[in-house]
Amino acid sequence: MWTADEIAQLCYEHYRSRLPKQGKPEPNREWTLLAAVVKIKPAADQACGGTNRRAQVTKEVVSMGTGTKCIGQSKMRKSGDILNDSHAEVIARRSFQRYLLHQLHLAAALKEDSIFVPGTQRGLWKLRPDLLFVFFSSHTPCGDASIIPMLEFEDQPCCPVHRDWANNPSVEASGDLEDPEDKKKCEDLGSPVAKKMRHEPGIPDSVAHHQSFGHQESGPVPPSVSGSHLTAEELAAVTGMAPSGAKVVDVHRTGAKCVPGEAGDSGKPGAAYHQVGLLRVKPGRGDRTCSLSCSDKLARWNVLGCQGALLMHLLEEPIYLSAVVIGRCPYSQEAMQRALTGRCRNVSALPKGFGVQEVKIEQSGFLFEQSRCAVQAKRADGPGRLVPCGAAISWSAVPEQPLDVTTNGFPQGTTKKAIRCLQARSRISKVELFRSFQRLLSSISEDKWPDSLRTRKLETYHEYKEAASAYQEAWSVLRKQAFGSWIRNPPDYHQFK
């Protein structure tokens, strides 16, 4: 139906051709991360029966995001007009919500080209049964999915991070697996790895570049670990991720810190440095953030859906991702499955329509041309320091103003004096998505509203979110059974109208 490489190539081409130069990394000096949502639809003949040959589908990027940053707790605003988290995965998901709002507008106007069809209950819609969505990220999500064993014999596609990165308070909130300060160069340019990395980004090598240890043959003998002094639990975290007899010498580190209330990392040398399976917050520069890691957020979306609480008022079922595709980078199939689905596998008693999804997880062999390692390989020993791009780009498949470029949570170029103006709001900020939702409701006659919006008068963003009872019940179950330490913003950050 589709392959991981096809998804990656589609997203990279969309990035090159549809996103402007504004907001993209400065050549040979900056890098960024990319994420997108791709709509998969069977071709017309396949939808009507088709043949036994390989199913033909149409693939369309419906949302895209770039970015590596998030703001600190002190910069959060109660007006909902700032983007707290601008990591690519989060930007792509918020851009996807904007796309879903537009599609609901089409459905409410009875346009046939909407992805939604009427549900069985008044005022509710459901996704067309022949459609599915694939999530793409050019890099392994920050947090738990990034804690990947490194084997002694590996030909690393990207340089591992410093041992002290996770404890460095000046780390940029990039969520990347590598040292953002670039204090450690990638391998010697004469090495096989550097030669491999100098190939044109986007061209897969014939060599095995995946770190997908689960795809390799693995016997019952656990890997021998030297210098780590692992406990049984810690050994279990890496056992099975390596071929039989391979020596696990360390793990890729994540800069995401354990949330208060979680057990915390051991900090031991080698493979036992991190405790796996924990909730983590993205690091900030000095100022701690309240943004959970992208691994945690993807795991949450895999149970609650990508639509959020507001849109559940109008949907009969959550909008789930059918698959997650990761670009070429340090990668472990087991770590991805543990982070995205394993931690929630035993969650039960969810309300009707909600469930833990068995999302398909794959890796592409294609490298994002503006990833840190691709840029590092191109620039060789160029002058200056390689830094993460400060801007984030949002793109949605909507007819009006599909693009949004932000820096520090506000549209690029916003001055301090202009912050309170309407123009100083990202189109995917909480308040602007709320405005879009309100405009959608105003286009529908009240007698066609769903029951959740008819029982009492709702005014604030918080009231609308809390009134989505099935979603809130599912979120409560998920917190109680899997994510009890999840950091929630105080209600006064959601009181805007």
Side-chain angles (χ1 to χ4, degrees):
M1 196 176 189
W2 55 265
T3 67
D5 283 348
E6 288 172 348
I7 297 295
Q9 287 178 300
L10 178 70
C11 293
Y12 294 158
E13 176 56 32
H14 190 94
Y15 174 84
R16 285 190 290 265
S17 62
R18 301 294 293 276
L19 268 59
K21 184 177 180 181
Q22 181 190 8
K24 288 183 177 178
E26 183 181 325
N28 296 320
R29 198 185 81 83
E30 295 181 330
W31 55 272
T32 195
L33 302 176
L34 176 71
V37 177
V38 178
K39 181 180 72 175
I40 307 290
K41 180 181 180 181
D45 59 335
Q46 294 291 330
C48 297
T51 63
N52 290 328
R53 60 189 173 85
R54 184 171 179 258
Q56 298 297 307
V57 299
T58 59
K59 300 180 290 292
E60 177 192 359
V61 176
V62 295
S63 77
M64 181 166 279
T66 72
T68 66
K69 310 274 186 172
C70 56
I71 65 168
Q73 186 174 359
S74 65
K75 292 184 173 63
M76 292 172 62
R77 292 167 58 84
K78 297 179 181 180
S79 48
D81 57 358
I82 190 170
L83 295 177
N84 296 332
D85 189 341
S86 293
H87 278 217
E89 296 94 327
V90 176
I91 296 291
R93 185 255 186 165
R94 297 188 74 81
S95 304
F96 182 51
Q97 290 176 320
R98 192 176 175 217
Y99 165 77
L100 294 177
L101 276 163
H102 171 65
Q103 291 296 319
L104 283 167
H105 268 286
L106 293 179
L110 304 179
K111 299 290 180 65
E112 292 184 0
D113 54 349
S114 173
I115 64 172
F116 294 110
V117 295
T120 58
Q121 300 176 55
R122 179 179 59 184
L124 298 184
W125 303 86
K126 61 182 180 180
L127 189 66
R128 290 183 180 274
D130 59 338
L131 299 181
L132 57 88
F133 295 103
V134 175
F135 192 86
F136 174 77
S137 176
S138 64
H139 205 288
T140 310
C142 64
D144 197 51
S146 292
I147 303 174
I148 302 168
M150 292 192 294
L151 307 183
E152 189 175 47
F153 64 81
E154 282 173 23
D155 191 14
Q156 296 289 335
C158 292
C159 48
V161 303
H162 274 311
R163 282 182 186 276
D164 62 351
W165 181 30
N167 294 320
N168 184 351
S170 66
V171 166
E172 285 286 354
S174 67
D176 196 50
L177 295 181
E178 304 142 63
D179 182 357
E181 297 300 323
D182 195 30
K183 294 175 183 174
K184 184 173 182 178
K185 298 288 186 183
C186 280
E187 289 85 333
D188 188 289
L189 292 177
S191 72
V193 175
K195 290 176 181 176
K196 180 168 67 176
M197 292 297 297
R198 281 204 297 270
H199 288 182
E200 183 65 26
I203 307 299
D205 295 293
S206 58
V207 299
H209 52 266
H210 288 224
Q211 306 265 97
S212 181
F213 308 128
H215 288 164
Q216 303 179 30
E217 293 298 325
S218 179
V221 181
S224 60
V225 182
S226 64
S228 296
H229 307 293
L230 299 182
T231 65
E233 291 79 10
E234 291 162 344
L235 182 61
V238 294
T239 299
M241 291 187 183
S244 177
K247 184 180 291 186
V248 178
V249 295
D250 207 338
V251 289
H252 285 278
R253 307 289 163 79
T254 177
K257 312 291 181 69
C258 298
V259 302
E262 293 279 49
D265 291 320
S266 72
K268 295 178 182 178
Y273 185 90
H274 280 309
Q275 176 81 17
V276 299
L278 303 181
L279 291 174
R280 295 174 180 272
V281 291
K282 292 163 183 171
R285 174 160 289 194
D287 187 14
R288 191 180 185 93
T289 80
C290 291
S291 298
L292 273 290
S293 75
C294 289
S295 292
D296 301 330
K297 291 185 176 184
L298 278 160
R300 175 181 171 174
W301 304 339
N302 197 48
V303 179
L304 303 183
C306 289
Q307 75 295 318
L310 281 184
L311 292 187
M312 274 311 298
H313 281 293
L314 300 172
L315 296 175
E316 200 159 84
E317 298 173 342
I319 306 297
Y320 287 116
L321 301 169
S322 295
V324 174
V325 173
I326 304 297
R328 179 174 164 187
C329 63
Y331 177 88
S332 162
Q333 186 73 13
E334 282 75 14
M336 284 290 295
Q337 289 174 333
R338 175 192 72 226
L340 270 57
T341 64
R343 295 183 291 173
C344 303
R345 195 175 304 280
N346 296 323
V347 172
S348 60
L350 289 161
K352 182 181 178 182
F354 290 88
V356 181
Q357 305 301 298
E358 287 298 327
V359 63
K360 185 178 182 181
I361 302 172
E362 294 192 3
Q363 187 186 27
S364 166
F366 288 91
L367 180 70
F368 178 42
E369 61 192 26
Q370 292 193 309
S371 67
R372 185 180 185 276
C373 272
V375 176
Q376 178 71 69
K378 276 185 175 181
R379 76 196 294 266
D381 289 320
R385 187 165 61 92
L386 186 62
V387 296
C389 180
I393 306 175
S394 159
W395 182 91
S396 301
V398 298
E400 295 182 11
Q401 300 177 309
L403 277 163
D404 200 52
V405 181
T406 55
T407 306
N408 297 321
F410 291 110
Q412 199 170 50
T414 300
T415 62
K416 287 186 177 180
K417 188 179 291 186
I419 277 180
R420 295 185 181 275
C421 300
L422 291 177
Q423 293 80 8
R425 293 175 178 173
S426 165
R427 297 181 184 94
I428 58 169
S429 63
K430 287 187 180 79
V431 69
E432 283 302 304
L433 289 178
F434 185 38
R435 297 282 184 274
S436 296
F437 177 76
Q438 290 173 316
R439 286 193 293 271
L440 172 58
L441 289 185
S442 66
S443 71
I444 304 170
S445 60
E446 289 193 29
D447 62 324
K448 294 182 179 178
W449 283 8
D451 292 341
S452 62
L453 296 173
R454 291 160 56 89
T455 54
R456 64 188 181 94
K457 185 174 176 59
L458 304 171
E459 293 185 351
T460 67
Y461 178 72
H462 176 75
E463 288 172 354
Y464 272 95
K465 282 169 64 77
E466 290 300 310
S469 56
Y471 181 92
Q472 295 299 342
E473 181 186 346
W475 182 208
S476 177
V477 169
L478 180 59
R479 289 199 310 274
K480 287 177 182 177
Q481 297 185 25
F483 291 152
S485 299
W486 193 284
I487 298 175
R488 304 184 72 192
N489 293 333
D492 57 340
Y493 280 89
H494 293 161
Q495 297 301 326
F496 52 87
K497 299 180 180 180

